[in-house]
Amino acid sequence: MLRAANRVALSGALARSAAVAAAGAARPSAAAASPYALHGSVGAAAPFRQPLPAVSGLALATLRGTGARPISLWSRVGPLRRLPVLLGGGAASAYAYVQYQVAGTWSVHLVPMHAAAATAAAASADFGGLPPLEGAAADQQLAALAWTILALAVSTANWMNDKVDFAKSSFLDALDSVSANLSPLQDSLRQRLDLLQSQLGTFSRDAGARGGSNSSGSNSSGGSPGPSSSSSSSAAASGKGGDEDDDEDDRKHRGPVKPDNANDDEFMDLTKKLIEVRNILKSAKVTGNLVLPSIVVIGSQSSGKSSVLETIVGREFLPKGSNMVTRRPLELTLIHTPDSNEEYGEFPQLGLGRVTNFRQIQQTLYDLNMAVKDECVSDNPIELRIYSPNVPDLTLVDLPGYIQIHSKNQPRDLKEKIAALCEKYIQEPNLILAVCAADVDLANSEALRSSRRVDPLGLRTIGVLTKIDLVSVEQGTNLLLHNEYPLHLGYVGVVCSSPKAANSALAPYRRTAEGTSHVGIPVLRQLLMRTLEERMGSRLTSLSDAVEQELAETNYQFKVLYNDRRITAESYLAETMDTLKHRFKDFTRQFGKPQVRQEVRTMLEQRIVDICEQLYWTDPKQAEMNTTAAKTDEYWAHKLALASSALTKSGVGRSSTQLVVDSLMQHMEKLVANEPFASHPDTRRKVLMLANDIIRTKFHTTVDQVENTIKPYKFEVECTDQEWADATKRAVALLEKEIKESQKAYDAVKSTVGRRTLNGALSYLDTVDKKQVMPTGNLKPAEDPARDPLLRAVPSADAEESSRPSGYSDSLLAKARVAMYHNARMQSLYNRLYHIKSRSCRSPSCQETCPEIFLTCVSEKLTYTAVMFIYIELLNEFFFQFPRDVDERLYYDLSKQQIATFARENTHIRKQLDLAERKSVLDLAQLKLRALVRRQEEIARKKREQERDANRGGY
């Protein structure tokens, strides 16, 4: 047991020493106090210091090249001095921990020993000269010693656990600190090595380019081409003099456009995204600060503008001709597609889709330009997008070339019109690509003159000297490098021919270091890409702010004008069709059997009036109808049969069906007469045509059915007492209505001519009528006065000028004749009304003397029968079929373009759709611009960090 206690003490000592050493290594400036001070043990560890090994001069030079400070190197490597102390302390701690765990386990197992065994061990043990204990005292002392040893072991175990954890955490913190201090050093070294490698690569390429330029003649005739020739051929267009097979071979050897370094890749990516934003904003028809710059190509005719564009694209696609063929601005967007080998073009305005045949593109451009006839130029642009792996991301505008004098077939102001058109496009923020021929004095260049007017300092103008192979090398070099007409962006000399011919022509310029960067289509491409990217990038923040401001204004307008109510062309069409169907449903509820019955009844009552007026009310024997003898008179029975046949055999089926159809179409016209159909005349016409088609398919069937059902009434009609009583009421109402109408017409004539004048004219006409063979007082005036027998009976002023009173003109007598007719008609109607209300017309047996009641009873039977079958055969089918045909033919059958056209026919909806579309476009543009701004800020931040690290390395 004592041996176990000694082991525990030894383990504790080792643990204290290891913990103190670890604490001193972790905190070299402070002493570590032991928690065993109560037992008289205090330990401290001095900080362990080791001299830093010497650093060679080459290492210091390397560190200076990386941008790190020599002074800060020691502070970064300083934590390495603590590694031996930390490793030693960790090893000692691990050994002590194992020892005290074994000792603690052993002592715990010794406690429950039997008392006799413990006493025997105590009696035989040597306590260093102390007298041995006996009996219970020995047992108590031995037990107390065992519990003391156990408490010491537990305390030691707890203390060791804490110290081991502290040592382990300190060791890990130190390692993290060392790693954190070494990481910036490694990054700086890696960046410096990458920069050195890129500089070495650039130097190698420049040397190879100079060597390839000097040997371009031999490479063109045989052998492998040099780097310069391959880079030149990568961007040059096919020559005009060669055939199509040579051009195709040149394009295959040229290969896709690839960035020279990471910065170029970033430029192309930024330009591509900004071109996407430009196309998005262009679709919203934004102007002002929301327009991104483009490269406007200007130059005189035959200066080589089209050849430069075709050489940049690598395809022959612009129209050619002897006359002026460029009459409209061509907004050309080149889109680089590195993941596809397909080359094609698109005309967004025409919707032709992908056009892979560039000869078709050329013909389309020719047709669009030749469509401008009289004015010779137009400011309506043509949009063309070319997708290819061989083109850079650029936005170009090709304009008509400047002329000095017009031809006899051209308008006199053509020169001014072309100048005004070019002046419109070369304004801020666009770049100007002034194309000039090298063999023509630049003092006469109209392109430079126009660009200087809008860009006096030449800050956004690039000069392109075509046909530079036609001048000497000294003259060409002078134009490129020492031009008397300086431009901030400089001049580039090009030869628009086949790649081999261009390389051969430009070889003398490439022998000099200065000339290499000023000639060739690849140089022009890179210059255009970088300049356009810089111009676009400089406007990125302002463009983002302008888009945000425009979006806020658009959102405000959308909220104020439309209460944030979102609408699309499809939803507007669905809402319009739902409105039509709701109106139609309400109409079906209002146009039921009672309404149809009333219309048919009104029609038949008017026919009864016409029949009675023709057969009864103008009959001279009308007074005999009120007598009892008239019931047995065959004359009145014959007239009744004639009147009944005239009513039942007059085509009631067709006339009643046609009446319902006319009424139906009138109501349908009312349904589509108001908004929203007032803004859609074509849709309104289609709705009416649809209704007419449904009715026409059922019309003849309905007429046949109605005629078959009313056929029994053509031969015999039986009226019950109740039907006769109801017919009597309707006949009385009909006669009273006719009396009111005649009274109204009579009063109108009397108010027009005057009562006394009318009475005198009536007296004169009464005298004339007595002299006529036939009485004309009861005849109805005809609508055409030339055919009116009453007016023909009026003596003219030439025939009896002496007998006619003065002041009685033909028009006055005509009005008097109308008043006489209505007066006689009212008297006849009053007689018939008195007779119908008398007891003589109380029963159906009085049909011969009461024809008005009988015909009214017959018309009521015809009305009920006809309406029943009209409703079944025609109206039910129409009410069921019309809404379904509306959905099928006016909603589901429409294409997306037709739906958009329909919605934009409404001016209010068109404005709302335009505002909603503008809002969505600005939202998308703002999202993309924010991403680009964040990306540019991140790139700028990294560049600043690199510069800061480089500056630190210089100290």
Side-chain angles (χ1 to χ4, degrees), residues 343-347 352-358 360-361 364:
E343 295 180 314
Y344 60 92
E346 288 183 353
F347 291 92
L352 300 178
R354 295 187 177 185
V355 182
T356 57
N357 187 356
F358 279 79
Q360 183 180 351
I361 295 177
T364 303

Side-chain angles (χ1 to χ4, degrees), residues 27-40:
R27 299 180 180 84
S29 60
S34 173
Y36 273 148
L38 295 176
H39 301 281

Side-chain angles (χ1 to χ4, degrees), residues 327-347:
R327 303 184 178 185
R328 296 171 58 182
L330 174 62
E331 296 183 357
L332 177 63
T333 303
L334 305 181
I335 301 174
H336 181 62
T337 56
D339 299 332
S340 174
N341 295 326
E342 186 180 7
E343 295 180 314
Y344 60 92
E346 288 183 353
F347 291 92

Side-chain angles (χ1 to χ4, degrees), residues 107-126:
S107 61
V108 168
H109 282 288
L110 290 176
V111 172
M113 293 179 58
H114 196 269
T119 303
S124 62
D126 186 7

Side-chain angles (χ1 to χ4, degrees), residues 194-226:
D194 292 341
L195 179 61
L196 181 62
Q197 184 179 3
S198 63
Q199 292 177 352
L200 290 175
T202 304
F203 176 77
S204 300
R205 285 197 298 271
D206 293 341
R210 296 191 184 111
S213 301
N214 295 329
S215 60
S216 60
S218 60
N219 288 337
S220 62
S221 59
S224 58

Side-chain angles (χ1 to χ4, degrees), residues 565-613:
R565 177 175 173 264
R566 298 184 60 186
I567 191 172
T568 61
E570 291 78 7
S571 64
Y572 173 69
L573 175 62
E575 183 179 353
T576 304
M577 294 300 107
D578 289 342
T579 301
L580 175 61
K581 289 187 287 187
H582 282 301
R583 292 180 182 177
F584 183 76
K585 186 176 182 180
D586 295 338
F587 162 68
T588 57
R589 294 174 181 174
Q590 298 174 2
F591 197 73
K593 287 183 179 180
Q595 290 77 19
V596 178
R597 206 176 288 128
Q598 181 62 35
E599 292 190 4
V600 175
R601 182 184 294 118
T602 303
M603 180 196 70
L604 294 179
E605 286 179 352
Q606 185 60 41
R607 188 166 297 180
I608 291 173
V609 170
D610 296 337
I611 293 173
C612 292
E613 189 166 7

Side-chain angles (χ1 to χ4, degrees), residues 729-749:
K729 295 178 182 178
R730 284 191 292 273
V732 169
L734 179 61
L735 291 176
E736 290 177 348
K737 177 184 175 183
E738 293 298 321
I739 291 172
K740 289 181 180 180
E741 291 181 357
S742 296
Q743 184 67 43
K744 184 178 180 181
Y746 181 82
D747 293 340
V749 174

